[in-house]
Amino acid sequence: MVVVISDEYLDSDACDFQTKFALSLCPGARGKRLIPVKYKPMTRPFPSILRFLTICDYTRPLTQDWFWKRLAKALSQPASQL
């Protein structure tokens, strides 16, 4: 599951519920079933519930060249190969 994190995400109860549900499917993030993506600058703090996951940050100019390729690879591979 790809979760696009933004200020709008933080305002959505539905997004919050779906994220918590996805996290409950992979306790401790061992299954790597959740990929948080930050695609634009945020004015509010990043959700603490996702702090232990690696964030794909599209807002950083240095990562934009390889961002999409890396995200596609993460989505296409089983978690054991990541």
Side-chain angles (χ1 to χ4, degrees), residues 43-68:
T43 60
R44 295 166 59 189
F46 199 81
S48 61
I49 194 169
L50 301 175
R51 70 181 174 270
F52 61 91
L53 297 174
T54 302
I55 302 158
C56 294
D57 190 350
Y58 188 70
T59 64
R60 296 178 58 206
L62 297 175
T63 63
Q64 290 178 352
D65 288 340
W66 52 266
F67 176 87
W68 294 110

Side-chain angles (χ1 to χ4, degrees), residues 1-76:
M1 178 176 169
V2 175
V3 179
V4 179
I5 307 298
S6 65
D7 288 331
E8 294 80 11
Y9 160 90
L10 297 173
D11 292 332
S12 172
D13 290 335
C15 289
D16 183 56
F17 172 79
Q18 291 173 357
T19 301
K20 288 177 181 172
F21 180 74
L23 286 172
S24 73
L25 296 176
C26 58
R30 297 192 197 284
K32 297 201 188 283
R33 296 178 189 227
L34 191 67
I35 302 170
V37 173
K38 182 178 173 187
Y39 81 101
K40 66 180 183 179
M42 296 174 56
T43 60
R44 295 166 59 189
F46 199 81
S48 61
I49 194 169
L50 301 175
R51 70 181 174 270
F52 61 91
L53 297 174
T54 302
I55 302 158
C56 294
D57 190 350
Y58 188 70
T59 64
R60 296 178 58 206
L62 297 175
T63 63
Q64 290 178 352
D65 288 340
W66 52 266
F67 176 87
W68 294 110
K69 189 182 298 185
R70 179 73 178 223
L71 181 59
K73 184 177 180 182
L75 291 171
S76 66

